[in-house]
Amino acid sequence: MMQKLSILAAGAALMTTAATAQTAPVANPTASLDSFEIQSVGAVLNELGAVWQAQQGNGQSYIAANAGGEINFLLVPAACKGANQTQCVGLSMVAIFDGQANPQTVTAFNYRYAFASAGLDPSGSAYIKRYEISDFGMARGNLATSILVFVEQAKMLQQELSTARRTVALEGYADDLSAGSLNRSGVKTLTGVEAHAENAVDAHQIGLDEAADHIKFFIENKSAPRNKIDNIAKK
């Protein structure tokens, strides 16, 4: 009963804030960034309240940033068309975590969330990465939201790595990763009302949860279109 009350309380909070107008995370959110330069990306980070500095390493200019004193991450301009890393139309975001990570936690995280990709380097340290493309421009507001969602997912991965269970089977484990997704499902089941997001970051987190559910549905649905792999027998 207490669990149901907690779910209902969470649902009430979500529904109360559903009507709240979403505000842009930065000024001039529709203004286009023609390329990802250190200063233009840094200006967006400034408005998000992140602490950052430009650094050099391995012949590459990049940004080392910190979000709220919690998550350290790197932003690396890529696919540069001009000299000295100018006119860059790609941007890599990376957050790295020290220590020996549970590989199954990383696998489960990738199963659940599509926005970014988590992985392990040969030493066993975990990382999460995201790549943005701006061949024909990207709105400042879109880049800001993308950074915010990336940071939120880095926090989620950090929490999962810190509390990972040392299991020998992945079955059923991937579905345990998203407490927020389970809470939203519980709200809909108990109240019949779909919970909505308060802001853009929450909205995308809901969308990512739903995307994982859609994939599971399509895989289980034998009538869904499929692509053939010649050397694998059809089940």
Side-chain angles (χ1 to χ4, degrees):
M1 183 62 182
M2 289 298 294
Q3 183 179 10
K4 289 185 177 181
L5 288 174
S6 297
I7 291 174
L8 284 170
L14 283 169
M15 287 182 282
T16 298
T17 57
T20 302
Q22 292 186 12
T23 57
V26 293
N28 302 318
T30 60
S32 179
L33 291 174
D34 294 330
S35 61
F36 297 120
E37 313 293 349
I38 296 292
Q39 292 306 317
S40 60
V41 174
V44 172
L45 290 170
N46 285 338
E47 292 189 56
L48 294 177
V51 177
W52 67 276
Q53 61 178 201
Q55 297 187 355
Q56 288 272 346
N58 197 31
Q60 172 75 52
S61 297
Y62 62 91
I63 292 172
N66 177 274
E70 298 181 75
I71 294 293
N72 294 307
F73 61 107
L74 306 166
L75 300 103
V76 186
C80 302
K81 299 177 180 180
N84 301 316
Q85 294 176 264
T86 57
Q87 302 176 41
C88 302
V89 294
L91 181 69
S92 291
M93 304 182 200
V94 183
I96 302 169
F97 302 92
D98 283 335
Q100 295 294 306
N102 183 353
Q104 290 187 149
T105 301
V106 173
T107 300
F109 189 90
N110 282 331
Y111 172 86
R112 186 75 219 177
Y113 297 108
F115 178 81
S117 175
L120 291 171
D121 77 353
S123 71
S125 295
Y127 62 86
I128 184 170
K129 61 185 177 68
R130 165 78 176 170
Y131 189 82
E132 294 289 352
I133 295 173
S134 180
D135 282 69
F136 301 98
M138 171 179 275
R140 296 181 79 249
N142 283 355
L143 177 60
T145 299
S146 187
I147 292 172
L148 289 171
V149 174
F150 177 78
V151 168
E152 187 65 23
Q153 290 211 293
K155 290 180 184 177
M156 293 169 65
L157 178 59
Q158 182 184 52
Q159 181 179 7
E160 297 301 337
L161 292 170
S162 299
T163 60
R165 294 179 290 172
R166 293 286 175 174
T167 62
V168 294
L170 187 61
E171 183 179 359
Y173 182 32
D175 291 332
D176 293 337
L177 281 180
S178 181
S181 176
L182 294 175
N183 283 341
R184 283 189 290 272
S185 297
V187 169
K188 185 174 181 180
T189 299
L190 291 172
T191 67
V193 177
E194 189 78 51
H196 296 282
E198 179 180 1
N199 54 52
V201 176
D202 288 345
H204 288 300
Q205 287 300 117
I206 292 173
L208 290 164
D209 281 332
E210 291 174 344
D213 292 335
H214 294 160
I215 291 171
K216 184 176 181 181
F217 167 77
F218 290 136
I219 289 175
E220 293 174 351
N221 182 358
K222 300 303 181 183
S223 65
R226 281 168 163 72
N227 297 291
K228 184 179 179 181
I229 301 176
D230 291 337
N231 63 343
I232 296 181
K234 183 178 180 181
K235 294 182 178 179

